[in-house]
Amino acid sequence: ISLFHFTNIYSLISESHLVICYPLVSPADISDILAVPSIYYDPTGSIFMEDAEGSRSLIDFAGNPNDLLASVMHALSSVVISE
């Protein structure tokens, strides 16, 4: 997706089924507020999100490609796309 600097991030996220972003950035927090599932993805595996475990937010964490795939499948399992 290409975004312009004037894109309304709240509108974009509210129309999304899932947000994937680097750890500890605001799009994940915005998605949590808007009740859109999100995933912090750290492909380097250098960040440990132990403090986030057990939280009540919709933000998940993936530290490798397999965890990312599992998180995406879980987050999208309840999405129904109408044609």
Side-chain angles (χ1 to χ4, degrees):
I1 289 179
S2 295
L3 300 177
F4 298 102
H5 67 279
F6 53 83
T7 300
N8 183 324
I9 190 81
Y10 289 90
S11 294
L12 178 68
I13 291 173
S14 69
E15 296 173 12
S16 300
H17 295 293
L18 175 66
V19 174
I20 301 173
C21 51
Y22 290 110
L24 308 175
V25 294
S26 58
D29 295 323
I30 294 169
S31 70
D32 194 41
I33 291 168
L34 296 173
V36 174
S38 61
I39 302 169
Y40 286 143
Y41 179 50
D42 174 27
T44 66
S46 60
I47 297 174
F48 298 97
M49 296 298 292
E50 294 169 353
D51 292 337
E53 289 182 17
S55 72
R56 300 179 77 189
S57 75
L58 294 173
I59 304 172
D60 200 0
F61 178 78
N64 61 59
N66 290 332
D67 288 348
L68 178 61
L69 179 59
S71 293
V72 168
M73 296 297 287
H74 177 14
L76 296 181
S77 65
S78 62
V79 173
V80 176
I81 299 175
S82 59
E83 294 183 32

